[in-house]
Amino acid sequence: MCLTLFSLSCNKWVDVKPTDRLAEDQLFASKEGYLKALNGVYVEMANTALYGQEMTTGALDVLAQYYLVTQSTHRYYDYATFVYTDADNKATFDNAWRKAYELVANCNVILEKCGDAPSSKLPEPYYGLIKGEALALRAMLQFDMLRLFGPIYAEESKTRPAIPYITGTGLQISPILSSEQVIENVTSDLNTAMTLLERTDPIRTEGVRNGSNPSGSNDFYYRQYRLNYYAAKALLARAYLWKGDKAEALTQAVQLLDEVQSPAKNTFPFVTFANATNAERPDRMFSTEVMFSLYDVNRIEMYRRLFDVNLTLNTKLSFSNGDTNGARVTNLYDDANDYRRRIWQNVSSGAVTALTNLKYQDVVNAPGRYMIPLIRLSEVLLIAAECSPDLTTGVTYLNKVRTSRNCVSLNPTTDAALKTAITNEFRKEVIGEGQQFFFYKRNAVQTVPNHAAITGTKTMVLTNYVVPLPDSETSQRN
């Protein structure tokens, strides 16, 4: 697989400090070096501090109140109750911050070395692809830090200091910018990335090509595992929606859907009935629909740490209290035929039988076996549903998601009812992917699922949506 070809050299490279110019010059002597450096960013994004656990299945999804966490001794109890002063809690978010900005620094080195035009060392289409992906990754990483540590985006808060947005390779401490300024940087980087990728990314003409090149290198293959043109456009729609610009978010979403869902392309087809319900090799990722995913051959370790049936009650993330109670599942999935419901099954180890989340279970030869999805088609459809000024059009986008999941269509008759339906669909779509907490935060939702009961809700204090800046950051500014 292309993402593992350079793993040894990539992991070695990410330890190189930006000031080590000799090592940089040696690495960036050819296009292969640029590819190794960029691949190193993707590899390290699967670190457990980031999207390999805490920013997807772990801390972020616990903050979103997905799981039943009743014991005060549970390793995620202080996350479920928003005790950000807890030492373990602080360490988790400090590690995420450090790793994210380490990778931002690496992206900035790549961008500096790319220069302003193609060269003999980095000719087209490599120049456009590598620079475009590095810009998009820099934007994505810092956007996620804004969504986690910044305030709820609103007129009264958007000018308050939030986080730094780092674009250079110097050692100086970057200023803390407002949410408004950070979003301006995010959208600027993404628009520039798309300009570079729109003419060089083979996903637009050849599709995702998730198979080895039969006649050469894999440099332009496996595009679902790179932050490709379409994923960057989806990320741009996500960013515009975060700042409340529904008109621009809708424009980006509709343009994207019109292109990838055209009959001639259908770049990200909906999961089929056969693959979603396959008894031996189910496609629990709905892998054909994933626009951008990390590739992690060690993904099974995340499953073993968080979901395995043999885990004790104070370590396992589950919808039940160590038993087969399926009430929380029934409460989430309104249609018994929903493909998404199939991730929840009663599993027996011999000693215990319990309801278990199998989304990331390792199944040999299953589609998306090593995927950790970060951007998917259904999110774009739900953005279009939320941002459409016409209720009927919004409902149509909503039901495209539902019917693709083998669910009956809904007919919400008010904007508020449509928004409730979108919220419910989004919860089902992104479980294990770290997006639901950000959805609640963006909408300042004050009624969320109850972590301490099988069913029911609890009141959310809005300040709980803002994780304090890590000590490693604030200590530099004292």
Side-chain angles (χ1 to χ4, degrees):
M1 188 62 105
C2 67
L3 292 185
T4 59
L5 291 179
F6 305 119
S7 61
L8 291 176
S9 55
C10 290
N11 285 330
K12 184 176 180 180
W13 179 77
V14 297
D15 291 330
V16 174
K17 298 297 185 291
T19 52
D20 192 343
R21 295 303 182 189
L22 177 60
E24 288 176 11
D25 291 342
Q26 292 172 342
L27 180 65
F28 295 107
S30 66
K31 67 179 187 295
E32 287 77 17
Y34 284 88
L35 288 170
K36 290 178 183 179
L38 184 60
N39 192 60
V41 176
Y42 287 110
V43 169
E44 285 299 300
M45 285 175 71
N47 188 285
T48 57
L50 284 177
Y51 307 106
Q53 181 164 311
E54 301 304 353
M55 291 291 290
T56 50
T57 58
L60 262 290
D61 265 14
V62 174
L63 291 179
Q65 309 299 299
Y66 269 116
Y67 301 108
L68 184 68
V69 181
T70 59
Q71 298 184 357
S72 61
T73 55
H74 195 289
R75 61 173 162 172
Y76 280 112
Y77 185 82
D78 286 330
Y79 300 81
T81 54
F82 310 105
V83 183
Y84 295 128
T85 55
D86 172 73
D88 289 341
N89 197 320
K90 291 175 71 173
T92 293
F93 295 118
D94 188 274
N95 290 337
W97 177 275
R98 288 171 181 265
K99 178 56 70 172
Y101 279 102
E102 171 192 313
L103 298 184
V104 168
N106 289 350
C107 287
N108 286 336
V109 172
I110 295 170
L111 291 167
E112 180 184 84
K113 293 297 182 180
C114 283
D116 297 324
S119 64
S120 58
K121 292 189 297 183
L122 190 63
E124 290 285 27
Y126 290 93
Y127 172 81
L129 277 176
I130 291 170
K131 188 171 184 177
E133 288 181 35
L135 278 166
L137 288 167
R138 178 173 82 180
M140 178 180 176
L141 288 160
Q142 294 182 97
F143 180 38
D144 276 358
M145 293 301 100
L146 174 68
R147 294 198 292 171
L148 186 59
F149 296 98
I152 297 172
Y153 197 98
E155 282 299 315
E156 64 273 14
S157 63
K158 68 181 184 181
T159 57
R160 297 176 193 161
I163 66 166
Y165 195 91
I166 300 175
T167 58
T169 59
L171 296 177
Q172 68 275 12
I173 296 176
S174 298
I176 298 287
L177 304 182
S178 69
S179 296
E180 187 174 40
Q181 291 171 310
V182 173
I183 282 292
E184 287 176 0
N185 278 287
V186 168
T187 55
S188 176
D189 273 353
L190 289 173
N191 276 304
T192 304
M194 286 168 52
T195 299
L196 291 161
L197 292 168
E198 68 181 349
R199 56 186 171 78
T200 55
D201 195 339
I203 198 171
R204 301 191 74 196
T205 54
E206 306 298 330
V208 298
R209 294 201 292 193
N210 281 343
S212 295
N213 183 358
S215 58
S217 74
N218 291 323
D219 293 351
F220 307 126
Y221 282 64
Y222 298 102
R223 296 304 296 164
Q224 277 179 296
Y225 296 100
R226 318 294 285 191
L227 216 171
N228 59 71
Y229 172 79
Y230 295 131
K233 197 168 183 67
L235 187 57
L236 185 60
R238 183 189 285 177
Y240 279 126
L241 188 54
W242 183 261
K243 67 175 288 190
D245 189 343
K246 288 189 174 182
E248 193 57 45
L250 179 63
T251 295
Q252 298 300 325
V254 170
Q255 287 177 353
L256 175 53
L257 293 170
D258 285 347
E259 183 168 344
V260 302
Q261 292 196 308
S262 68
K265 281 190 175 182
N266 198 18
T267 311
F268 303 102
F270 290 122
V271 66
T272 63
F273 174 85
N275 283 346
T277 62
N278 189 294
E280 296 181 355
R281 293 181 296 278
D283 186 356
R284 295 182 179 133
M285 297 296 106
F286 301 166
S287 61
T288 54
E289 306 174 27
V290 174
M291 292 185 165
F292 172 47
S293 172
L294 299 181
Y295 182 89
D296 185 8
V297 294
N298 295 314
R299 195 188 73 179
I300 181 60
E301 298 305 321
M302 180 173 68
Y303 172 81
R304 289 171 177 160
R305 288 190 297 267
L306 300 180
F307 304 110
D308 192 280
V309 68
N310 291 306
L311 291 171
T312 60
L313 280 179
N314 63 355
T315 57
K316 183 181 182 181
L317 295 180
S318 178
F319 271 24
S320 72
N321 202 17
D323 50 34
T324 59
N325 188 333
R328 201 173 179 96
V329 175
T330 302
N331 188 61
L332 176 59
Y333 303 92
D334 60 279
D335 193 316
N337 297 312
D338 194 331
Y339 295 153
R340 296 166 294 193
R341 186 173 181 150
R342 300 173 70 88
I343 67 171
W344 293 102
Q345 295 182 30
N346 290 324
V347 176
S348 179
S349 67
V352 62
T353 300
L355 185 68
T356 304
N357 183 346
L358 300 180
K359 183 168 182 175
Y360 288 108
Q361 183 189 41
D362 189 45
V363 180
V364 177
N365 295 327
R369 181 183 182 188
Y370 298 125
M371 271 186 168
I372 301 177
L374 298 181
I375 302 173
R376 56 172 63 250
L377 175 68
S378 56
E379 180 185 354
V380 183
L381 287 164
L382 293 175
I383 288 174
E386 181 177 346
C387 297
S388 292
D390 176 68
L391 178 63
T392 301
T393 303
V395 172
T396 299
Y397 283 120
L398 168 75
N399 284 324
K400 281 187 177 182
V401 175
R402 286 187 60 86
T403 56
S404 73
R405 304 300 181 240
N406 202 33
C407 298
V408 296
S409 294
L410 299 178
N411 187 33
T413 56
T414 65
D415 290 338
L418 174 59
K419 187 59 178 289
T420 297
I422 290 169
T423 302
N424 292 337
E425 291 310 306
F426 197 74
R427 282 184 68 206
K428 289 174 274 190
E429 283 296 301
V430 299
I431 186 169
E433 298 175 20
Q435 296 299 322
Q436 187 61 39
F437 178 72
F438 295 141
F439 183 97
Y440 288 149
K441 181 172 181 175
R442 173 172 63 81
N443 290 285
V445 173
Q446 292 181 274
T447 302
V448 296
N450 189 353
H451 76 280
I454 289 289
T455 59
T457 61
K458 67 179 184 181
T459 300
M460 179 67 163
V461 179
L462 292 183
T463 54
N464 288 339
Y465 283 121
V466 183
V467 178
L469 284 179
D471 291 343
S472 63
E473 177 65 26
T474 57
S475 63
Q476 298 183 66
R477 302 176 183 276
N478 293 334

